[in-house]
Amino acid sequence: MKNKISDLALFGGKALFDKPIHVGRPNIGNHKKILNEIEKVLDNCWLTNNGPAVQEFEQHISKLLGVKHCIAMCNGTVALEIAIRALELTGEVIVPSFTFIATAHALQWQGITPVFCDINPKTHTIDPECIEKMITPRTSGIIGVHLWGRACNVESLEKIAKKHKLKLMFDAAHSFGCSYKNQMIGNFGEVETFSFHATKFCNTFEGGAVVTNNDELAAKIRLMKNFGFSGYDNVVYIGTNGKMSEVCAEMGLVSLENLNEFISANYENYQLYKKKSGDISGLKMLEYNEKEKNNYQYIVFEVNEAETNISRDKIIKILHAEKILARRYFYPGCHNMEPYKSYYPHSSFLLANTEKVAEKVLILPTGTGVTLNKIDNICKTMSFIIKNGKSISDKIYQL
Ligand code: T4K
């Protein structure tokens, strides 16, 4: 443990951990089962193109979410791109800037302008009160992002979309297995998209899905993810290659079998972080609403520098030296990244909350690979850093 400032690895002490503790370490289900299932794929000699494992994976997800259609994809970004295209979004689409860059890129990639909207600083999700100001005659839709697995204010977004005849969809990349008002995420807007990337709570190595209750849209999305083919030699639509492979689907099926175990591990980790961080002044945890189903995949803190006397970025520097690879998702906001930064150099004026939140968010490691003992040590280190905030901050300044 750290008793004096010189014990910190940044100042020459021994790092707390021998190996890096990552934020997005994959949850991996039963290894033997995964290898077994992959073996079966090889024996079956059916590797991709809507094979039996993909179909089974899609059925499981539909059932779990209570949604009519699930179309598995090769990743969450392509799922977004295809959903956007299937909805025939054009011109401008309103999105939060406080999200992973893929949400914005999926639009820009297709020549659609992402119009960045501010967030509610309490929830970190798009602020419905800001949306109406951003609507122009070119606006065709809204994409809400259920950030950190917490749903947007769905009703308000639905109301605005209806009033202005806009299409509404959700980037639910973080929200697999989560609910909103007791309904599973996946059932809101016209479509919702998931990511099953390695760093996600439930992973398929790389993967994603579009889910919808709209039959017509689902049929269109199925065509789109397979080049627009309808049977051999017959292309009826412009499409791309968005297919999930059999090996990925098998990984997904085993992940689904182990879902409760992943949630329990995340929940225990979350509870311990909550308990141990409670009396660290200047550190505020974003809590989950325990009346809902949550995957507890993101441990999100806000650092209030006025109280900690040390900036979020300096805390991260110290943590990294200790091999705790905390992250500052989604700094600095999409509007401050290219090409958007050059396209809209003055967008900061409309994104005050996004900028404030992006400056103070700190994400800590969780998942099945992080033990309670490690979390205890991470919290003790955080507590030590913040208790000595001013002195440590000054010392870093001198480095
Ligand atoms: N919409 C939203 C709101 C999203 O957050 C995302 C993805 C998407 C859409 C797009 O979905 P995908 O197309 O990715 O399916 C990561 C993920 O790459 C990305 O999927 C995710 N969001 C984002 C929030 O986080 P990075 O840049 O932080 O990844 P990386 O490589 O630094 O991974 C995090 C840590 O995890 C690493 O430090 C090491 C560890 N790690 C990572 C991998 C891949 C492992 O231990 N093993 C691994 O296999 O973006």
Side-chain angles (χ1 to χ4, degrees), residues 76-313:
T77 306
V78 168
L80 273 169
E81 285 170 8
I82 290 181
I84 288 164
R85 202 166 183 116
L87 278 181
E88 296 175 8
L89 298 181
T90 55
E92 294 174 3
V93 170
I94 298 171
V95 284
S97 171
F98 195 61
T99 177
F100 188 58
I101 197 67
T103 322
H105 278 356
L107 291 163
Q108 191 68 48
W109 191 253
Q110 318 194 54
I112 302 165
T113 304
V115 172
F116 296 119
C117 182
D118 213 357
I119 51 167
N120 177 328
K122 287 200 180 114
T123 60
H124 296 185
T125 53
I126 194 164
D127 185 351
E129 286 189 14
C130 297
I131 292 180
E132 286 194 290
K133 285 185 260 173
M134 324 294 286
I135 297 173
T136 74
R138 296 186 70 228
T139 310
S140 62
I142 302 168
I143 303 181
V145 181
H146 303 307
L147 209 77
W148 318 133
R150 296 172 178 86
C152 300
N153 184 340
V154 174
E155 290 89 350
S156 298
L157 297 184
E158 279 171 350
K159 229 188 245 166
I160 296 168
K162 196 167 169 206
K163 180 172 157 200
H164 296 275
K165 298 193 171 59
L166 301 175
K167 291 182 174 151
L168 175 65
M169 62 173 272
F170 292 98
D171 177 344
H174 298 180
S175 308
F176 184 64
C178 305
S179 69
Y180 176 67
K181 301 206 167 159
N182 294 317
Q183 189 167 16
M184 294 306 282
I185 288 181
N187 287 279
F188 303 109
E190 306 205 36
V191 289
E192 302 208 56
T193 62
F194 292 109
S195 164
F196 299 117
H197 180 255
T199 55
K200 293 294 180 296
F201 148 73
C202 168
N203 88 82
T204 58
F205 302 121
E206 286 273 4
V210 181
V211 293
T212 178
N213 285 308
N214 180 323
D215 300 342
E216 229 175 276
L217 212 48
K220 196 164 152 187
I221 290 166
R222 278 204 181 281
L223 285 173
M224 282 183 158
K225 74 142 187 192
N226 186 27
F227 313 100
F229 269 110
S230 169
Y232 289 128
D233 316 322
N234 188 27
V235 171
V236 296
Y237 216 88
I238 181 165
T240 183
N241 183 351
K243 292 167 288 166
M244 177 181 273
S245 74
E246 287 292 280
V247 163
C248 289
E250 290 293 5
M251 178 69 169
L253 285 165
V254 179
S255 294
L256 289 176
E257 274 179 26
N258 292 272
L259 218 56
N260 289 338
E261 188 192 305
F262 299 160
I263 295 175
S264 300
N266 276 356
Y267 182 64
E268 266 194 274
N269 291 351
Y270 164 73
Q271 286 297 347
L272 190 64
Y273 271 119
K274 196 167 132 185
K275 190 170 146 203
K276 297 281 170 176
S277 65
D279 49 11
I280 306 180
S281 67
L283 199 62
K284 191 181 126 212
M285 190 182 202
L286 226 75
E287 292 185 17
Y288 287 91
N289 174 357
E290 295 201 27
K291 288 191 187 125
E292 298 290 355
K293 286 201 166 84
N294 300 298
N295 59 32
Y296 299 98
Q297 175 70 358
Y298 288 93
I299 300 293
V300 184
F301 284 99
E302 287 181 359
V303 176
N304 178 356
E305 194 180 337
E307 285 180 56
T308 55
N309 298 310
I310 179 163
S311 70
R312 182 268 317 263
D313 290 354

